Amino acid sequence: MTEKKKRILYIHNTVTNYRVPYFNRLAELSDLTLALFQFSDNEKIYKDKSRISELKNCKIYTDLKAEQSEIEKRILEKQFDVIILPCLDDFTCYQVFNHFAKFKKYAKISVAWEMWEPIKIDASLYKKLKKYGQRPFRKMALKRIDFALSFSGESEKYLQFLGVPASNIYGYWNAARVPEIKSELDLRKKIGIKEDEKIVLSLGRIIKRKGLDILLEAFAKIHEDNRIHLVIVGDGEELSTLKKQAKDLNLGTSVTFVGQVEPELRGLYFSQANLFVIPSIIYKGFPEPWGLTVNEALQFSVPVVTTTAVGSSILVQDGKNGIIVQENDVNALSDGISIASKMNKDKIVPLNYTPQNMAEIVYGIIVKKLSEDE
């Protein structure tokens, strides 16, 4: 007899391109309803198009506030087995979490937990007071869940710090997969990279937390001796500042700023890179919660240099498929790049973990938790 699909209400902020295969696989496994409370963020923050049309086999609410009464009616009619609430990243998330957690007697309550932060926060007094002040409210809110779905590593540790028992935390890796497309594009010819130079890639939003100013300083110390060329892909508020910094450091033609590229074209850059660097720092108390570009680089067997401020550093086996260095440390980063630039990507086993795998793990956890009460 075929087992009845579990009914999931998944309350999420928006649908990014990398989440589409995750939600589609989860919708194949379950009876999925997706409710979004910051639908426009994919275009506003990530500069991407709407991905709603790419979702299949699930009920979608694109405006949680406007459609809240219908959703609540369905909850009261016990149309869901589990409600997955958003991580407590900000006040909006807290409002959504706090409102829907009250329906605990109608469905199991879970949280899709993604965040972590240093226990001791290095930031301005205002930021310290704000972030330390948030902790009691997070602890109080998390007492209302039945179990947590959490990214592995630092996020799990932070949940335990907030009082969630380890037995109620189910960890898994975050996932992303870049389309592997065929193209005649040769980055060396397009950008003008010499044949004896290795391509060092950095890809992502160009904001302060990404630590790209540290990367430029580190690169300036070593690029001539190591015969490497830095390619920075992305856009953001720090772009003009970084271009000026590169000029001030006399990096000349050894650094290329490509700008924003379509998500579907990222594979062209990863496949031709010799090394990937994610130099994120803990900025005003905020680390890199995960960093999916590490997944994407390892998909193509590209060695990764990552800092301790990056959640996905858990994927890096130090000295085997990359190097982990202390965050916000120019010398450590330059040394890491020098070492990793000598790694042979042909000897690195590609990461074959996919968003579909992630969905299967999450659904397996849900089935297990629901069966415990049957």
Side-chain angles (χ1 to χ4, degrees):
M1 187 174 73
T2 304
E3 185 177 338
K4 187 177 179 181
K5 291 182 176 182
K6 304 305 180 187
R7 303 165 301 169
I8 301 172
L9 171 60
Y10 206 126
I11 302 177
H12 200 59
N13 58 346
T14 187
V15 177
T16 52
N17 71 292
Y18 56 84
R19 281 288 176 257
V20 171
Y22 167 70
F23 285 128
N24 280 342
R25 180 58 179 145
L26 194 58
E28 289 175 350
L29 296 166
S30 69
D31 179 356
L32 179 65
T33 297
L34 191 60
L36 308 176
F37 59 92
Q38 290 174 326
F39 170 64
S40 64
D41 277 8
N42 194 45
E43 296 174 82
K44 185 169 64 176
I45 294 178
Y46 299 104
K47 312 301 180 187
D48 191 20
K49 63 184 179 181
S50 172
R51 298 284 173 171
I52 293 298
S53 63
E54 299 173 33
L55 294 174
K56 310 296 180 186
N57 304 315
C58 64
K59 170 74 175 176
I60 306 167
Y61 297 98
T62 58
D63 190 339
L64 177 62
K65 188 174 182 180
E67 298 168 297
Q68 185 169 305
S69 59
E70 180 183 340
I71 296 169
E72 290 183 4
K73 182 175 182 292
R74 293 184 63 194
I75 294 172
L76 295 173
E77 292 174 353
K78 294 190 175 182
Q79 292 188 25
F80 304 108
D81 299 304
V82 62
I83 301 172
I84 302 177
L85 299 177
C87 186
L88 296 165
D89 289 330
D90 55 32
F91 184 65
T92 300
C93 293
Y94 178 79
Q95 285 183 305
V96 172
F97 183 107
N98 196 46
H99 178 79
F100 284 93
K102 70 184 182 183
F103 294 104
K104 187 170 182 176
K105 67 180 181 179
Y106 297 95
K108 285 278 189 182
I109 301 295
S110 184
V111 60
W113 193 263
E114 304 176 1
M115 72 171 297
W116 63 278
E117 63 184 32
I119 303 305
K120 185 177 180 181
I121 298 169
D122 183 15
S124 67
L125 178 60
Y126 171 75
K127 285 287 183 182
K128 284 182 179 179
L129 291 174
K130 181 179 178 181
K131 292 180 77 65
Y132 285 138
Q134 289 172 340
R135 288 179 178 176
F137 293 98
R138 285 180 179 147
K139 290 180 179 181
M140 194 183 315
L142 289 168
K143 288 180 179 179
R144 306 173 73 180
I145 66 171
D146 293 296
F147 63 100
L149 300 161
S150 174
F151 292 166
S152 298
E154 296 298 333
S155 293
E156 286 183 281
K157 294 176 188 175
Y158 189 59
L159 269 178
Q160 290 183 54
F161 169 74
L162 292 175
V164 180
S167 59
N168 274 348
I169 302 171
Y170 294 83
Y172 54 90
W173 292 347
N174 196 5
R177 195 80 179 166
V178 176
E180 298 184 28
I181 60 176
K182 293 182 179 180
S183 172
E184 300 299 320
L185 175 66
D186 187 326
L187 287 182
R188 292 185 180 277
K189 290 182 180 179
K190 179 182 178 181
I191 295 174
I193 302 173
K194 297 173 183 176
E195 285 300 321
D196 65 341
E197 289 182 323
K198 292 187 175 181
I199 298 174
V200 178
L201 176 67
S202 179
L203 187 153
R205 286 191 295 154
I206 300 181
I207 56 177
K208 192 69 176 175
R209 177 164 56 84
K210 298 296 182 177
L212 292 168
D213 55 334
I214 307 296
L215 174 57
L216 288 179
E217 288 187 48
F219 186 76
K221 293 168 67 71
I222 58 169
H223 74 99
E224 291 182 349
D225 293 337
N226 287 271
R227 302 299 297 164
I228 52 181
H229 187 107
L230 178 60
V231 177
I232 297 178
V233 178
D235 197 4
E237 59 197 37
E238 292 292 310
L239 181 57
S240 60
T241 301
L242 288 177
K243 287 182 176 180
K244 182 180 183 303
Q245 181 185 3
K247 184 178 180 180
D248 293 342
L249 289 169
N250 297 313
L251 291 175
T253 57
S254 63
V255 175
T256 301
F257 292 90
V258 173
Q260 188 83 5
V261 299
E262 293 295 318
E264 290 81 3
L265 300 178
R266 290 153 71 107
L268 296 176
Y269 291 86
F270 283 112
S271 63
Q272 297 180 59
N274 300 101
L275 174 64
F276 179 75
V277 184
I278 178 167
S280 301
I281 61 173
I282 295 173
Y283 181 64
K284 296 184 177 179
F286 290 97
E288 185 77 58
W290 185 259
L292 283 166
T293 48
V294 173
N295 298 65
E296 294 167 349
L298 292 176
Q299 174 189 338
F300 291 90
S301 298
V302 178
V304 173
V305 176
T306 177
T307 72
T308 52
V310 179
S312 56
S313 62
I314 194 172
L315 302 178
V316 176
Q317 296 173 290
D318 203 21
K320 293 184 178 180
N321 62 358
I323 302 292
I324 303 172
V325 302
Q326 181 61 40
E327 61 96 18
N328 206 13
D329 187 324
V330 172
N331 291 329
L333 186 58
S334 62
D335 289 345
I337 293 171
S338 293
I339 296 168
S341 67
K342 297 174 178 62
M343 290 182 174
N344 185 351
K345 62 188 290 186
D346 292 334
K347 295 183 178 180
I348 294 176
V349 178
L351 179 68
N352 291 318
Y353 179 70
T354 68
Q356 290 85 350
N357 297 145
M358 175 176 153
E360 289 157 9
I361 291 170
V362 167
Y363 187 66
I365 294 167
I366 290 169
V367 170
K368 177 180 182 297
K369 291 302 295 182
L370 292 175
S371 66
E372 289 176 353
D373 287 346
E374 289 180 356

